Amino acid sequence: MAQASNGPGRLPTEAELTRAGLGLAVEGPVARITISRPERRNAMTGRTWTTLAHIGHTLPADVRIVVIAGEGDIFSAGIDLGMFTPEGVDGERSMVGGILDGSSTGADVEEYIAGLQEGFLWLRRPDLVTVAAVRGHAIGAGFQLALSCDLRILADDAKFCMKEPALGLVPDLTGTKPLVDIVGVHRAVEICLTARRVGAQEARELGLAELVVPADELPGAVDDVVAALLATNAEAAAATKALLRQAAGNTLEEQAAAERRAQVARLTALAGTMAADNR
Ligand code: ACO
């Protein structure tokens, strides 16, 4: 059940979440997002992603962990293929309608896609640890959503597939960078351009999964990881995630300097706590 937000603005209402095919439960420091359109194998629409962005913008400030899972035995069948029909899905803007009738320029479509990408980008925020709990298929946008999270915990029946090139598209929901960062450009080319399924054990070997467990043990395994993450100091966790996220783009010297700056901030905070305790 969504609760009132302490963050900027209000969380999506239950009606807005339902329309977007999402569920949200916020309990203290943990937010659980469920992709919930079981009759469409949890396929997602533009509204799913703009609502995900809305969640990201309005989560209570004390939320530290975000878990994303699919309802039932599938994570997500990716984009709702109705989005590629001229009429779209449930009155939602179609991906091709504006191009077909000439009402959208390329720049308009890029701006629209940028809005959809917002639903994925916030999952990298340093103050959050984001966890994808994946059962069954995670196809296309579903795979990219899992790639946007910090950690992927997979059931042994999980299957990733970057289907976009097989449909004449490119993956455009921020998944290409994490995929290349994790598996390297050559394996990423092979996975994307064959659009083959990557099973859970292979995903583990490639670094696409931090953990693989039997399907019925997935909720418990996720809870264990969440508990371990919550046991770490929140500010230190955020500062460390920020450091780790920038490491690949930094030289050794830049990263060493970033470590020093971050540590000075941590030591200053610790000293402040000690001084307060001694008062
Ligand atoms: N968009 C819209 N409807 C979907 C989607 C989808 N992506 N995936 C499944 N459905 C619907 C089916 O049309 C079907 O509807 P119906 O009951 O009205 O006939 C229902 O969900 C069940 O689908 P099945 O195919 O019968 O389910 P099954 O368990 O056999 O297969 C699977 C599941 C493998 C996910 C299969 O449905 C599939 O391959 N879906 C398409 C995946 C896809 O191409 N996604 C787009 C990737 S590109 C991107 O995300 C950007």
Short mmCIF file of all heavy atoms in Angstrom, two decimals, residues 174-229:
data_model
loop_
_atom_site.label_atom_id
_atom_site.label_comp_id
_atom_site.label_asym_id
_atom_site.label_seq_id
_atom_site.Cartn_x
_atom_site.Cartn_y
_atom_site.Cartn_z
N THR A 174 18.14 2.79 -21.13
CA THR A 174 19.35 2.97 -20.31
C THR A 174 20.04 1.65 -19.96
O THR A 174 20.88 1.62 -19.07
CB THR A 174 19.08 3.78 -19.01
OG1 THR A 174 18.45 2.95 -18.02
CG2 THR A 174 18.23 5.02 -19.29
N GLY A 175 19.72 0.58 -20.70
CA GLY A 175 20.31 -0.71 -20.36
C GLY A 175 21.64 -1.01 -21.02
O GLY A 175 22.37 -1.90 -20.57
N THR A 176 21.98 -0.28 -22.11
CA THR A 176 23.19 -0.69 -22.84
C THR A 176 24.46 -0.42 -22.02
O THR A 176 25.40 -1.21 -22.07
CB THR A 176 23.29 0.01 -24.21
OG1 THR A 176 23.27 1.42 -24.04
CG2 THR A 176 22.17 -0.42 -25.14
N LYS A 177 24.47 0.68 -21.26
CA LYS A 177 25.69 0.98 -20.50
C LYS A 177 25.96 -0.03 -19.39
O LYS A 177 27.06 -0.58 -19.31
CB LYS A 177 25.65 2.41 -19.96
CG LYS A 177 26.91 2.76 -19.19
CD LYS A 177 27.15 4.22 -19.06
CE LYS A 177 28.37 4.53 -18.20
NZ LYS A 177 29.60 3.85 -18.65
N PRO A 178 24.97 -0.30 -18.53
CA PRO A 178 25.26 -1.32 -17.52
C PRO A 178 25.58 -2.68 -18.12
O PRO A 178 26.42 -3.42 -17.59
CB PRO A 178 23.99 -1.36 -16.65
CG PRO A 178 22.94 -0.65 -17.43
CD PRO A 178 23.65 0.31 -18.33
N LEU A 179 24.93 -3.02 -19.23
CA LEU A 179 25.23 -4.32 -19.84
C LEU A 179 26.69 -4.39 -20.26
O LEU A 179 27.40 -5.36 -19.94
CB LEU A 179 24.30 -4.58 -21.04
CG LEU A 179 24.52 -5.95 -21.71
CD1 LEU A 179 24.17 -7.10 -20.76
CD2 LEU A 179 23.69 -6.06 -23.00
N VAL A 180 27.16 -3.34 -20.95
CA VAL A 180 28.57 -3.33 -21.38
C VAL A 180 29.50 -3.26 -20.17
O VAL A 180 30.53 -3.94 -20.12
CB VAL A 180 28.82 -2.16 -22.36
CG1 VAL A 180 30.31 -1.99 -22.61
CG2 VAL A 180 28.08 -2.41 -23.67
N ASP A 181 29.13 -2.44 -19.17
CA ASP A 181 29.97 -2.34 -17.98
C ASP A 181 30.15 -3.71 -17.32
O ASP A 181 31.20 -4.03 -16.79
CB ASP A 181 29.35 -1.38 -16.96
CG ASP A 181 29.47 0.08 -17.38
OD1 ASP A 181 30.24 0.37 -18.32
OD2 ASP A 181 28.79 0.93 -16.77
N ILE A 182 29.10 -4.51 -17.34
CA ILE A 182 29.14 -5.80 -16.62
C ILE A 182 29.79 -6.89 -17.48
O ILE A 182 30.67 -7.60 -17.01
CB ILE A 182 27.72 -6.23 -16.19
CG1 ILE A 182 27.15 -5.24 -15.18
CG2 ILE A 182 27.74 -7.64 -15.59
CD1 ILE A 182 25.66 -5.39 -14.92
N VAL A 183 29.34 -7.04 -18.72
CA VAL A 183 29.80 -8.22 -19.49
C VAL A 183 30.85 -7.88 -20.54
O VAL A 183 31.42 -8.80 -21.14
CB VAL A 183 28.61 -8.96 -20.17
CG1 VAL A 183 27.57 -9.35 -19.15
CG2 VAL A 183 27.99 -8.13 -21.30
N GLY A 184 31.11 -6.59 -20.77
CA GLY A 184 32.06 -6.20 -21.81
C GLY A 184 31.35 -6.06 -23.15
O GLY A 184 30.28 -6.64 -23.38
N VAL A 185 31.98 -5.31 -24.06
CA VAL A 185 31.30 -4.98 -25.31
C VAL A 185 31.09 -6.20 -26.19
O VAL A 185 30.05 -6.34 -26.85
CB VAL A 185 32.06 -3.85 -26.06
CG1 VAL A 185 33.44 -4.30 -26.53
CG2 VAL A 185 31.24 -3.33 -27.23
N HIS A 186 32.03 -7.14 -26.18
CA HIS A 186 31.90 -8.27 -27.10
C HIS A 186 30.75 -9.19 -26.71
O HIS A 186 29.94 -9.58 -27.55
CB HIS A 186 33.23 -9.04 -27.16
CG HIS A 186 34.38 -8.14 -27.52
ND1 HIS A 186 34.54 -7.64 -28.79
CD2 HIS A 186 35.37 -7.62 -26.77
CE1 HIS A 186 35.61 -6.85 -28.81
NE2 HIS A 186 36.12 -6.83 -27.60
N ARG A 187 30.66 -9.53 -25.44
CA ARG A 187 29.55 -10.37 -24.98
C ARG A 187 28.22 -9.61 -25.12
O ARG A 187 27.19 -10.21 -25.47
CB ARG A 187 29.78 -10.80 -23.52
CG ARG A 187 28.68 -11.66 -22.93
CD ARG A 187 28.50 -12.97 -23.67
NE ARG A 187 29.66 -13.85 -23.50
CZ ARG A 187 29.85 -14.98 -24.19
NH1 ARG A 187 28.96 -15.35 -25.11
NH2 ARG A 187 30.91 -15.71 -23.96
N ALA A 188 28.26 -8.28 -24.89
CA ALA A 188 27.03 -7.49 -25.03
C ALA A 188 26.54 -7.52 -26.48
O ALA A 188 25.33 -7.66 -26.73
CB ALA A 188 27.26 -6.05 -24.57
N VAL A 189 27.47 -7.42 -27.43
CA VAL A 189 27.09 -7.50 -28.84
C VAL A 189 26.44 -8.85 -29.12
O VAL A 189 25.38 -8.95 -29.75
CB VAL A 189 28.33 -7.29 -29.75
CG1 VAL A 189 28.01 -7.70 -31.19
CG2 VAL A 189 28.79 -5.85 -29.70
N GLU A 190 27.07 -9.89 -28.60
CA GLU A 190 26.54 -11.25 -28.86
C GLU A 190 25.14 -11.42 -28.25
O GLU A 190 24.22 -11.91 -28.90
CB GLU A 190 27.53 -12.28 -28.29
CG GLU A 190 27.17 -13.72 -28.56
CD GLU A 190 26.38 -14.34 -27.41
OE1 GLU A 190 26.62 -13.97 -26.23
OE2 GLU A 190 25.51 -15.17 -27.70
N ILE A 191 24.97 -10.96 -27.02
CA ILE A 191 23.67 -11.13 -26.34
C ILE A 191 22.58 -10.31 -27.05
O ILE A 191 21.47 -10.79 -27.28
CB ILE A 191 23.79 -10.71 -24.85
CG1 ILE A 191 24.59 -11.76 -24.08
CG2 ILE A 191 22.41 -10.49 -24.22
CD1 ILE A 191 24.93 -11.36 -22.64
N CYS A 192 22.91 -9.07 -27.41
CA CYS A 192 21.88 -8.19 -28.01
C CYS A 192 21.58 -8.59 -29.45
O CYS A 192 20.42 -8.62 -29.87
CB CYS A 192 22.33 -6.73 -27.98
SG CYS A 192 22.45 -6.04 -26.32
N LEU A 193 22.61 -8.88 -30.22
CA LEU A 193 22.38 -9.09 -31.66
C LEU A 193 21.87 -10.49 -31.99
O LEU A 193 21.39 -10.72 -33.11
CB LEU A 193 23.62 -8.73 -32.47
CG LEU A 193 23.69 -7.22 -32.83
CD1 LEU A 193 23.68 -6.32 -31.62
CD2 LEU A 193 24.89 -6.92 -33.70
N THR A 194 21.97 -11.40 -31.03
CA THR A 194 21.29 -12.68 -31.22
C THR A 194 19.94 -12.68 -30.53
O THR A 194 19.11 -13.56 -30.79
CB THR A 194 22.12 -13.86 -30.65
OG1 THR A 194 22.25 -13.67 -29.23
CG2 THR A 194 23.49 -13.95 -31.29
N ALA A 195 19.72 -11.73 -29.62
CA ALA A 195 18.46 -11.66 -28.84
C ALA A 195 18.16 -13.00 -28.17
O ALA A 195 17.00 -13.36 -27.98
CB ALA A 195 17.30 -11.20 -29.71
N ARG A 196 19.21 -13.72 -27.79
CA ARG A 196 18.98 -15.04 -27.19
C ARG A 196 18.66 -14.89 -25.70
O ARG A 196 18.87 -13.82 -25.12
CB ARG A 196 20.22 -15.91 -27.38
CG ARG A 196 21.42 -15.53 -26.52
CD ARG A 196 22.56 -16.50 -26.70
NE ARG A 196 23.78 -16.03 -26.03
CZ ARG A 196 24.07 -16.31 -24.77
NH1 ARG A 196 23.26 -17.04 -24.04
NH2 ARG A 196 25.20 -15.85 -24.23
N ARG A 197 18.16 -15.97 -25.15
CA ARG A 197 17.87 -15.97 -23.73
C ARG A 197 19.11 -16.33 -22.92
O ARG A 197 19.80 -17.30 -23.25
CB ARG A 197 16.76 -16.96 -23.41
CG ARG A 197 15.42 -16.51 -23.96
CD ARG A 197 14.37 -17.56 -23.74
NE ARG A 197 13.11 -17.09 -24.33
CZ ARG A 197 12.02 -17.83 -24.47
NH1 ARG A 197 12.03 -19.10 -24.08
NH2 ARG A 197 10.93 -17.32 -25.01
N VAL A 198 19.37 -15.57 -21.90
CA VAL A 198 20.48 -15.85 -20.98
C VAL A 198 19.86 -16.38 -19.69
O VAL A 198 19.16 -15.65 -18.98
CB VAL A 198 21.29 -14.57 -20.69
CG1 VAL A 198 22.40 -14.86 -19.69
CG2 VAL A 198 21.86 -13.99 -21.98
N GLY A 199 20.09 -17.64 -19.41
CA GLY A 199 19.51 -18.26 -18.22
C GLY A 199 20.21 -17.82 -16.94
O GLY A 199 21.27 -17.17 -16.98
N ALA A 200 19.60 -18.18 -15.82
CA ALA A 200 20.07 -17.69 -14.53
C ALA A 200 21.53 -18.08 -14.23
O ALA A 200 22.32 -17.25 -13.76
CB ALA A 200 19.16 -18.19 -13.42
N GLN A 201 21.87 -19.35 -14.52
CA GLN A 201 23.24 -19.76 -14.17
C GLN A 201 24.26 -19.02 -15.02
O GLN A 201 25.31 -18.59 -14.52
CB GLN A 201 23.41 -21.28 -14.34
CG GLN A 201 22.63 -22.11 -13.33
CD GLN A 201 22.90 -21.72 -11.86
OE1 GLN A 201 23.96 -21.20 -11.52
NE2 GLN A 201 21.92 -21.97 -11.00
N GLU A 202 23.96 -18.86 -16.32
CA GLU A 202 24.89 -18.10 -17.16
C GLU A 202 24.96 -16.64 -16.71
O GLU A 202 26.03 -16.03 -16.68
CB GLU A 202 24.48 -18.17 -18.64
CG GLU A 202 25.51 -17.47 -19.53
CD GLU A 202 25.10 -17.36 -20.99
OE1 GLU A 202 24.03 -17.84 -21.37
OE2 GLU A 202 25.89 -16.75 -21.74
N ALA A 203 23.79 -16.11 -16.34
CA ALA A 203 23.76 -14.72 -15.86
C ALA A 203 24.68 -14.57 -14.65
O ALA A 203 25.42 -13.58 -14.52
CB ALA A 203 22.33 -14.31 -15.50
N ARG A 204 24.65 -15.57 -13.77
CA ARG A 204 25.53 -15.54 -12.58
C ARG A 204 27.00 -15.54 -13.02
O ARG A 204 27.80 -14.75 -12.50
CB ARG A 204 25.22 -16.77 -11.72
CG ARG A 204 26.07 -16.91 -10.48
CD ARG A 204 25.53 -16.05 -9.36
NE ARG A 204 26.42 -16.07 -8.20
CZ ARG A 204 27.45 -15.24 -8.01
NH1 ARG A 204 27.74 -14.34 -8.93
NH2 ARG A 204 28.19 -15.32 -6.93
N GLU A 205 27.32 -16.41 -13.98
CA GLU A 205 28.72 -16.49 -14.44
C GLU A 205 29.16 -15.21 -15.11
O GLU A 205 30.33 -14.80 -15.01
CB GLU A 205 28.87 -17.66 -15.42
CG GLU A 205 28.88 -19.02 -14.72
CD GLU A 205 28.41 -20.15 -15.65
OE1 GLU A 205 28.49 -19.99 -16.88
OE2 GLU A 205 27.95 -21.18 -15.12
N LEU A 206 28.25 -14.51 -15.78
CA LEU A 206 28.60 -13.28 -16.49
C LEU A 206 28.61 -12.06 -15.57
O LEU A 206 28.95 -10.95 -16.01
CB LEU A 206 27.60 -13.02 -17.63
CG LEU A 206 27.68 -13.97 -18.83
CD1 LEU A 206 26.52 -13.70 -19.79
CD2 LEU A 206 29.01 -13.81 -19.55
N GLY A 207 28.17 -12.24 -14.34
CA GLY A 207 28.08 -11.09 -13.43
C GLY A 207 26.77 -10.33 -13.54
O GLY A 207 26.62 -9.25 -12.97
N LEU A 208 25.82 -10.91 -14.28
CA LEU A 208 24.51 -10.26 -14.42
C LEU A 208 23.59 -10.59 -13.24
O LEU A 208 22.48 -10.06 -13.15
CB LEU A 208 23.83 -10.69 -15.73
CG LEU A 208 24.48 -10.13 -17.00
CD1 LEU A 208 23.96 -10.85 -18.23
CD2 LEU A 208 24.20 -8.62 -17.11
N ALA A 209 24.03 -11.49 -12.37
CA ALA A 209 23.26 -11.81 -11.16
C ALA A 209 24.24 -11.87 -10.00
O ALA A 209 25.32 -12.46 -10.12
CB ALA A 209 22.54 -13.14 -11.32
N GLU A 210 23.86 -11.26 -8.89
CA GLU A 210 24.71 -11.36 -7.69
C GLU A 210 24.43 -12.67 -6.98
O GLU A 210 25.29 -13.20 -6.25
CB GLU A 210 24.41 -10.19 -6.74
CG GLU A 210 25.16 -8.91 -7.07
CD GLU A 210 24.90 -8.41 -8.48
OE1 GLU A 210 23.73 -8.23 -8.82
OE2 GLU A 210 25.88 -8.21 -9.24
N LEU A 211 23.23 -13.20 -7.17
CA LEU A 211 22.80 -14.39 -6.44
C LEU A 211 21.76 -15.11 -7.27
O LEU A 211 20.91 -14.46 -7.89
CB LEU A 211 22.18 -13.92 -5.10
CG LEU A 211 21.89 -14.92 -4.01
CD1 LEU A 211 23.19 -15.59 -3.54
CD2 LEU A 211 21.23 -14.21 -2.83
N VAL A 212 21.82 -16.45 -7.29
CA VAL A 212 20.78 -17.26 -7.92
C VAL A 212 20.29 -18.26 -6.89
O VAL A 212 21.09 -18.95 -6.25
CB VAL A 212 21.31 -18.01 -9.17
CG1 VAL A 212 20.24 -18.93 -9.73
CG2 VAL A 212 21.78 -17.02 -10.23
N VAL A 213 18.97 -18.31 -6.71
CA VAL A 213 18.40 -19.21 -5.69
C VAL A 213 17.21 -19.96 -6.30
O VAL A 213 16.64 -19.50 -7.30
CB VAL A 213 17.94 -18.41 -4.45
CG1 VAL A 213 19.11 -17.72 -3.78
CG2 VAL A 213 16.84 -17.41 -4.81
N PRO A 214 16.81 -21.08 -5.69
CA PRO A 214 15.58 -21.74 -6.15
C PRO A 214 14.42 -20.75 -6.08
O PRO A 214 14.36 -19.90 -5.18
CB PRO A 214 15.41 -22.90 -5.16
CG PRO A 214 16.79 -23.16 -4.65
CD PRO A 214 17.48 -21.83 -4.61
N ALA A 215 13.48 -20.90 -7.03
CA ALA A 215 12.41 -19.89 -7.16
C ALA A 215 11.65 -19.67 -5.85
O ALA A 215 11.36 -18.53 -5.50
CB ALA A 215 11.45 -20.31 -8.27
N ASP A 216 11.36 -20.76 -5.12
CA ASP A 216 10.56 -20.57 -3.90
C ASP A 216 11.36 -19.92 -2.78
O ASP A 216 10.80 -19.51 -1.76
CB ASP A 216 9.93 -21.90 -3.44
CG ASP A 216 10.98 -22.96 -3.14
OD1 ASP A 216 12.16 -22.74 -3.46
OD2 ASP A 216 10.62 -24.02 -2.58
N GLU A 217 12.67 -19.80 -2.97
CA GLU A 217 13.49 -19.15 -1.94
C GLU A 217 13.79 -17.69 -2.27
O GLU A 217 14.48 -17.00 -1.51
CB GLU A 217 14.81 -19.92 -1.77
CG GLU A 217 14.61 -21.30 -1.18
CD GLU A 217 15.91 -22.11 -1.12
OE1 GLU A 217 17.01 -21.49 -1.17
OE2 GLU A 217 15.82 -23.34 -1.04
N LEU A 218 13.28 -17.20 -3.42
CA LEU A 218 13.62 -15.83 -3.83
C LEU A 218 13.18 -14.77 -2.81
O LEU A 218 14.02 -13.92 -2.42
CB LEU A 218 13.03 -15.54 -5.22
CG LEU A 218 13.42 -14.19 -5.83
CD1 LEU A 218 14.93 -14.09 -6.05
CD2 LEU A 218 12.69 -13.97 -7.16
N PRO A 219 11.92 -14.79 -2.33
CA PRO A 219 11.54 -13.74 -1.38
C PRO A 219 12.43 -13.72 -0.13
O PRO A 219 12.85 -12.64 0.32
CB PRO A 219 10.09 -14.09 -1.03
CG PRO A 219 9.59 -14.91 -2.18
CD PRO A 219 10.79 -15.69 -2.66
N GLY A 220 12.74 -14.91 0.40
CA GLY A 220 13.59 -14.98 1.59
C GLY A 220 14.99 -14.49 1.32
O GLY A 220 15.60 -13.77 2.14
N ALA A 221 15.52 -14.83 0.14
CA ALA A 221 16.88 -14.39 -0.21
C ALA A 221 16.92 -12.87 -0.34
O ALA A 221 17.88 -12.22 0.09
CB ALA A 221 17.32 -15.06 -1.52
N VAL A 222 15.87 -12.30 -0.95
CA VAL A 222 15.82 -10.84 -1.08
C VAL A 222 15.75 -10.20 0.31
O VAL A 222 16.46 -9.23 0.60
CB VAL A 222 14.61 -10.42 -1.96
CG1 VAL A 222 14.40 -8.92 -1.92
CG2 VAL A 222 14.82 -10.90 -3.39
N ASP A 223 14.90 -10.75 1.17
CA ASP A 223 14.79 -10.19 2.53
C ASP A 223 16.13 -10.24 3.26
O ASP A 223 16.48 -9.31 3.99
CB ASP A 223 13.73 -10.96 3.34
CG ASP A 223 12.33 -10.63 2.88
OD1 ASP A 223 12.15 -9.65 2.11
OD2 ASP A 223 11.39 -11.36 3.27
N ASP A 224 16.89 -11.33 3.08
CA ASP A 224 18.20 -11.43 3.74
C ASP A 224 19.14 -10.34 3.23
O ASP A 224 19.88 -9.71 4.02
CB ASP A 224 18.84 -12.80 3.46
CG ASP A 224 18.13 -13.92 4.22
OD1 ASP A 224 17.31 -13.62 5.11
OD2 ASP A 224 18.38 -15.10 3.89
N VAL A 225 19.15 -10.12 1.92
CA VAL A 225 20.03 -9.09 1.36
C VAL A 225 19.60 -7.71 1.86
O VAL A 225 20.44 -6.87 2.23
CB VAL A 225 20.04 -9.16 -0.18
CG1 VAL A 225 20.77 -7.95 -0.78
CG2 VAL A 225 20.70 -10.45 -0.65
N VAL A 226 18.29 -7.48 1.88
CA VAL A 226 17.79 -6.18 2.35
C VAL A 226 18.22 -5.96 3.80
O VAL A 226 18.69 -4.87 4.17
CB VAL A 226 16.25 -6.10 2.22
CG1 VAL A 226 15.68 -4.91 2.98
CG2 VAL A 226 15.85 -6.03 0.74
N ALA A 227 18.10 -6.99 4.64
CA ALA A 227 18.48 -6.84 6.05
C ALA A 227 19.97 -6.52 6.17
O ALA A 227 20.38 -5.66 6.97
CB ALA A 227 18.15 -8.12 6.82
N ALA A 228 20.79 -7.19 5.36
CA ALA A 228 22.24 -6.94 5.42
C ALA A 228 22.55 -5.52 4.96
O ALA A 228 23.41 -4.83 5.54
CB ALA A 228 22.98 -7.96 4.54
N LEU A 229 21.84 -5.04 3.93
CA LEU A 229 22.08 -3.68 3.43
C LEU A 229 21.67 -2.65 4.48
O LEU A 229 22.35 -1.63 4.66
CB LEU A 229 21.29 -3.44 2.14
CG LEU A 229 21.77 -4.21 0.91
CD1 LEU A 229 20.72 -4.16 -0.20
CD2 LEU A 229 23.10 -3.65 0.40
#
